[in-house]
């Protein structure tokens, strides 16, 4: 292996960037702000997709696909939506290149200008609601619950791998309902699915809440979110679910005939998570040695490394390993046997540590004699020699233990970096130190803006399970009925 | 149901368009040339993806993701590549919209012009080989076998749902190898996988062959293809696999150090299939009543429709159906119970016929008494009353029979519309009538071009299993050593 990673305590941001690249998750491309997701990183994303897709389908959603391009005029229809996205849109203006007459290679053909410019979708509400107009006539067509897996583009000026890229991959759900209540229920159900996915698969504890008005999605009446804490104490918004009211139905004139025969505008939701989750995964669990992956999302849960001299020893070990592999696979465990002779065991150990494989099994001649293997846990960096007999049960149990250990560790970290504060100086100090600060707020956007200007902290959410508590705004002293969560955020 | 479909014999093209829309596969969007893939159509595409993805992984390929945008300058690097794609490129020139000062809504911000224009990928060889340059140093890094599932854009002037759209979904494999032989083997292996997929899942028989020089992929040394015959006798290219030689390695300077320590350019392949396969599926099997889906790709293989009067009867039937459903699902059969009370049985029968569900089970009060159901096959439009006992075995066997029946029917159709021809007038008549014409050709692009100009037929492929046969070119009379396949094509 090459040199060690930068330590988190030295430079958290540098540690993150180095780790993402060196663990083969992603890298920057030749296109400003666009990343290449490498096979190992993509394999983790595929696992995330598979679980989320299953959960969406189990709750009655179907997948579909809508165009990448959105006519510019569509954006003007919903006023706050265009306000939110206009400044970061990639715009297609031409549809042909040609050879330059002066021999400068290919140039854009000025004769091939589009009549109306097309926007590369930053999100698809407008094109989808334009389509829904033809799909929805009566209450019988509702609810309509559709999801799309797609790439989207938002022209960000400062980008970071996974966390903020010009192009990213995501899923966007877009549903249509006959009533306000049903749409709100859908938005809340999907938030619940995101939260369940974060905790059970990513081992990331999240707080469910509502965004304040100034942090809402452009075009939403209410934005629900899940917020996670990274190891530097910053918050990361890991998923959002929006109650869109009738805003898009009105902008695109989507009405339905109710059972009573009345024409009504349709109620909407949209919700999404993106490859940003990859960044959250890295920043929640990984350490100075490299990635730490939760077993439920690891491309391989177990890697087996043979320690041998000469082909004969390797053959003997391989025979035993093949038997172990079958037993592990029969239990549904994802296992890789790395018998490459191009790399030494020590190199492989470092490689799989860097790549966060939850369990490593090493087997050498001594183990062959004793019918044992060395079993090493990535999360605790602990090792033990165990019998080959019943190994599959032990591995299965350990994978479960690692999964829950990671969640508990992240929970403990969040608890130990969560504070209440009722005093402005104390508040500033705690925000500066990093973590979530539960404080009273007077409910005004103006105060929120001022706090942000002075501390860089934003209101991450108004927790859904907020406790009623009389208090005074930490900034203005005006009355408040419950605490909200402030933090610096990604 | 609304009015009947146009008959194939009346207007094949109109029949196709109507069917794709009415069976809820896809529809045109507000964006010229871009389609919306509807949930039912997308569910079929997902099945295709799942099977192909499994086959790719079983043959050692990994998925990754590369940027949507390609810097314009990358296209100039490989001369024939830019020649092939320049005329159909969507070009991003700006990255921001703004509010128009004259109140005309949003306009493109002239101050946000990109320094270098970005092309929306029509295919990804250039951006991928620019990336591979950093991934490949030594023979140890080879072979590199990567696949990407993505959307691509080719600005087609005349578009048709699935067959030719400005944006489409596809997979593109891009592999790098240490030798010419290994790259050719990879290109042939992937052609084999496409052919296996077409026959075993889509029930479409295909001919494996090589494209002539004029029909090759822009930048390839050799293009392999699979060609299928549609019900109007036209050919449809269902997948291609390219041996790219060292063209892209040279254009992007990708070299590796061999075992002997010599620097060599890397050898490449690329291969892809797209949502065009959806068009092939529709046009191969469907009839004047609607879609006919092969069981291996049908979102539901069996639909169960209850026939009842009143809630009590429905409850009794439902109880029985639930038991039948469990037995079918235990056999891995995808089944849907349509117990909606908003639609009559007759409406449902017509709906599932239109949507091509392979088997329909109807159950009414008489069936309850007799412990029977009515079982209807979509492919043969035949029905029979069968016992509920052992129904799951009968259904499983029938699904297999339908799958192979569809393939055999398509094979028979192709055989009965395949001809040899050794005479120019005869050749023209046969091409005009529709079908594959196996004829001798002198091997020159000039002759190929003239034949195309006079008959609209192109050489679909030089079959891989071409028989050696002395003959004379059907157009020029020049000598030839084997027949190639001519046809009009989609």
């Amino acid at each position: 292996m090459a040199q060690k990673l930068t330590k988190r305590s030295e430079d958290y941001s540098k540690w993150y960037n180095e780790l993402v690249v060196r663990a083969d998750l992603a890298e920057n491309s030749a296109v400003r702000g666009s990343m290449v997701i490498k096979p190992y990183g993509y394999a983790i994303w595929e696992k995330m997709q598979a679980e989320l897709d299953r959960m969406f389908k189990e709750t009655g959603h179907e997948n579909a696909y809508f165009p990448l391009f959105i006519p510019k005029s569509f954006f003007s229809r919903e006023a706050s939506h265009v306000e939110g996205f206009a400044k970061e849109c990639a715009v297609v203006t031409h549809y042909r290149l040609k050879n330059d007459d002066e021999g400068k290679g290919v140039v854009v053909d000025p004769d091939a200008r589009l009549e109306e410019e097309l926007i590369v979708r930053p999100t698809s509400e407008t094109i989808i609601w334009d389509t829904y107009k033809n799909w929805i006539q009566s209450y019988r067509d509702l609810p309509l619950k559709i999801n799309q897996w797609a790439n989207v583009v938002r022209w960000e000026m400062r980008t970071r791998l996974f966390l903020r890229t010009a192009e990213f991959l995501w899923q966007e759900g877009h549903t249509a309902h006959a009533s306000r209540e049903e749409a709100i229920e859908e938005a809340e159900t999907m938030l619940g699915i995101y939260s369940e996915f974060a905790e059970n698969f990513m081992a990331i504890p999240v707080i469910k809440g509502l965004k304040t008005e100034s942090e809402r999605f452009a075009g939403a009446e209410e934005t629900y979110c899940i917020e996670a804490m990274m190891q530097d104490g910053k918050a990361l918004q890991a998923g959002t679910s929006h109650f869109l009211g009738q805003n898009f139905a009105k902008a695109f004139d989507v009405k339905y005939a109710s059972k009573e025969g009345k024409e009504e505008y349709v109620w909407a939701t949209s919700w999404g998570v993106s490859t940003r989750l990859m960044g959250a995964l890295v920043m929640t669990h990984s350490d100075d040695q490299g990635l730490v992956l939760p077993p439920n999302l690891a491309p391989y849960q177990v890697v087996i490394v043979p320690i041998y001299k000469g082909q004969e020893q390797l053959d003997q070990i391989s025979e035993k390993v093949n038997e172990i592999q079958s037993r592990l696979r029969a239990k549904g465990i994802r296992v890789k046997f790395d018998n490459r002779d191009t790399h030494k065991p020590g190199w492989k150990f470092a490689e799989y540590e860097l790549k966060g494989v939850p369990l490593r099994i090493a087997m050498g001649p001594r183990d062959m004699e004793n019918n044992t293997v060395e079993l090493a846990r990535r999360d605790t960096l602990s090792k033990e020699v165990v019998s080959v007999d019943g190994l599959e049960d032990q591995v299965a149990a350990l994978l479960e233990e690692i999964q829950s250990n990671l969640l508990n560790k992240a929970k403990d970290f969040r608890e130990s970096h969560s504070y209440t504060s009722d005093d402005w100086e104390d508040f500033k100090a705690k925000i500066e130190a990093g973590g979530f600060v539960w404080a009273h707020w007077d409910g005004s956007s103006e105060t929120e803006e001022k706090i942000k200007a002075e501390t860089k902290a934003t209101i991450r959410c108004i927790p859904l399970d907020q406790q009623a508590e009389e208090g005074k705004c930490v900034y203005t002293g005006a009355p408040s009925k419950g605490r909200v969560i402030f933090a610096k955020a990604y």
Side-chain angles (χ1 to χ4, degrees), chain A residues 98-107:
Chain A
K98 64 166 196 170
N99 284 313
D100 182 35
D101 299 334
E102 295 161 36
K104 288 181 191 159
V106 285
V107 295

Side-chain angles (χ1 to χ4, degrees), chain A residues 178-192:
Chain A
S179 73
R180 163 185 282 271
E181 295 68 34
E182 195 186 289
I184 290 175
E185 197 190 322
E186 167 78 7
E188 290 179 353
T189 298
M190 299 323 291
L191 189 77

Side-chain angles (χ1 to χ4, degrees), chain A residues 27-44:
Chain A
E27 65 183 34
N28 287 307
S29 77
V31 185
R32 205 197 60 81
S34 293
M35 65 182 158
V36 172
I37 306 179
K38 300 179 78 174
Y40 192 64
Y42 199 82
I44 300 170

Side-chain angles (χ1 to χ4, degrees), chain A residues 52-64:
Chain A
L52 286 166
D53 198 68
R54 177 185 55 74
M55 293 166 101
F56 298 158
K57 284 176 177 157
E58 281 172 6
T59 45
H61 301 87
E62 295 180 298
N63 289 329

Side-chain angles (χ1 to χ4, degrees), chain A residues 331-370:
Chain A
K331 290 221 151 231
I333 295 165
R334 297 186 289 277
V335 53
K336 175 182 177 171
F337 178 33
D338 185 352
N339 59 357
R340 285 180 296 172
D341 61 4
T342 42
H343 300 84
K344 297 236 152 71
W347 188 95
K348 292 177 187 176
F349 284 16
E351 173 77 2
Y352 295 115
E353 198 167 276
L354 180 63
K355 288 193 164 174
V357 179
L359 283 175
R360 182 187 75 218
I361 290 174
M363 189 169 214
R366 177 74 61 90
D367 293 306
M368 287 294 287
E369 277 170 33
N370 300 339

Side-chain angles (χ1 to χ4, degrees), chain A residues 120-171:
Chain A
V120 181
R121 62 181 164 220
T123 180
S124 302
E125 278 76 6
T126 56
I127 187 81
I128 288 181
W129 279 86
D130 182 69
T131 309
Y132 280 2
K133 184 179 170 162
N134 304 317
W135 294 3
I136 298 170
Q137 271 87 42
S138 115
Y139 71 94
R140 284 188 207 86
D141 303 319
L142 297 173
L144 186 58
K145 294 163 70 175
I146 289 183
N147 176 60
Q148 163 170 279
W149 290 97
N151 52 346
V152 285
V153 171
R154 297 180 187 175
W155 206 265
E156 302 279 358
M157 281 303 158
R158 276 179 229 164
T159 61
R160 289 189 68 189
L161 292 167
F162 289 126
L163 298 172
R164 200 171 288 279
T165 47
E167 181 190 7
F168 56 92
L169 304 184
W170 80 343
Q171 62 66 217

Side-chain angles (χ1 to χ4, degrees), chain A residues 91-112:
Chain A
V91 189
V92 175
T93 54
H94 292 75
Y95 57 84
R96 197 165 60 216
L97 299 174
K98 64 166 196 170
N99 284 313
D100 182 35
D101 299 334
E102 295 161 36
K104 288 181 191 159
V106 285
V107 295
V108 176
D109 185 343
D111 294 337

